[in-house]
């Protein structure tokens, strides 16, 4: 399979964001996250994953933005947009989106004296429970015991929070491409 052009990658990104928005779990609002600090300053994690099949569908699409080898990996798309940006304000807005995305993916939770990022949590949940059933990741996820809900919360948080940034990046791509008079090679 031939490597996609920059235009092909941008078009795929827009298509994948549209697909993610159409996922029932996100469209119907059945996926949500919240954290409340309770008695003795202990956090209480709450998340709604809704219908498991709907969540799997959303995780499958979201994976393309998180996996470095995918054509619509967020950092790759951000780099393309930066190269095509017609002016400094657009480049600055793009940099702000990349910083926001990095913040979402690096958001973390302390579990047994180890910090787990949203990206790591997403991989554990997606590959160890919902998508590929990687035996090692299943064992890692199951070994968390009572801490598993916190990891699932982080993965769900990445999905919910990440969607807003993906939507903003899609809009920026539209603006950048609208300003170009010739197709990208």
């Amino acid at each position: 399979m031939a490597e996609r052009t920059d235009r092909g990658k941008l078009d795929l990104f827009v298509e994948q964001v549209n697909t993610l928005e159409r996922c029932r779990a996100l469209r119907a609002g059945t996926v949500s996250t919240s954290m409340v600090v309770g008695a003795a300053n202990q956090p209480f994690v709450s998340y709604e994953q809704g219908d498991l099949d709907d969540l799997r569908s959303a995780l499958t699409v979201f994976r393309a933005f998180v996996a470095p080898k995918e054509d619509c990996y967020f950092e790759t798309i951000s780099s393309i947009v930066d190269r095509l940006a017609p002016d400094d304000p657009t480049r600055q807005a793009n940099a702000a989106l990349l910083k926001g995305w990095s913040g979402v993916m690096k958001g973390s939770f302390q579990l047994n004296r180890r910090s787990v990022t949203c990206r790591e949590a997403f991989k554990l949940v997606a590959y160890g429970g919902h998508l590929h059933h990687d035996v090692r990741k299943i064992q890692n996820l199951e070994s968390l015991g009572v801490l598993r809900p916190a990891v699932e919360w982080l993965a769900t948080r990445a999905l919910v929070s990440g969607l807003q940034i993906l939507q903003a990046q899609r809009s920026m791509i539209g603006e950048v491409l609208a300003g170009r008079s010739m197709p990208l090679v």
Side-chain angles (χ1 to χ4, degrees):
M1 183 176 185
E3 186 174 325
R4 287 183 202 272
T5 63
D6 284 353
R7 176 60 189 252
K9 289 176 184 178
L10 294 175
D11 288 343
L12 178 64
F13 181 89
V14 168
E15 181 183 312
Q16 289 293 90
V17 173
N18 293 341
T19 300
L20 185 60
E21 283 178 330
R22 287 190 303 269
C23 287
R24 189 171 37 212
L26 295 170
R27 191 181 69 241
T30 60
V31 174
S32 64
T33 63
S34 65
M35 182 183 290
V36 178
V37 177
N41 290 328
Q42 294 298 311
F44 172 74
V45 172
S46 170
Y47 73 99
E48 239 352 277
Q49 67 181 18
D51 180 79
L52 200 51
D53 288 335
D54 291 347
L55 179 61
R56 278 190 190 115
S57 174
L59 289 173
T60 299
V61 176
F62 189 71
R63 178 193 169 279
F65 304 112
V66 179
K69 293 181 182 176
E70 294 292 329
D71 283 340
C72 55
Y73 178 56
F74 190 87
E75 284 86 345
T76 299
I77 297 301
S78 180
S79 176
I80 294 169
V81 170
D82 191 63
R83 284 196 315 270
L84 300 175
D87 52 36
D88 284 339
T90 304
R91 277 188 282 286
Q92 290 168 354
N94 184 57
L97 288 176
L98 180 58
K99 183 177 180 181
W101 179 261
S102 296
V104 167
M105 292 298 117
K106 291 178 183 172
S108 64
F109 205 88
Q110 286 296 122
L111 299 173
N112 288 343
R113 293 181 233 136
R114 179 178 174 260
S115 182
V116 176
T117 66
C118 283
R119 186 182 308 269
E120 292 168 329
F122 176 81
K123 288 179 181 178
L124 273 172
V125 171
Y127 301 131
H130 294 301
L131 302 179
H132 298 295
H133 304 293
D134 179 308
V135 174
R136 186 174 41 86
K137 287 187 173 63
I138 290 171
Q139 291 170 342
N140 288 344
L141 190 59
E142 289 175 353
S143 73
L144 294 171
V146 297
L147 298 175
R148 182 176 175 165
V151 170
E152 290 174 336
W153 175 84
L154 270 177
T156 305
R157 178 178 173 261
L159 175 65
V160 172
S161 300
L163 176 61
Q164 296 169 346
I165 296 168
L166 295 171
Q167 290 166 324
Q169 186 73 20
R170 177 189 57 196
S171 295
M172 183 173 290
I173 288 168
E175 292 170 18
V176 167
L177 292 180
R180 297 189 68 83
S181 59
M182 54 197 253
L184 299 171
V185 192

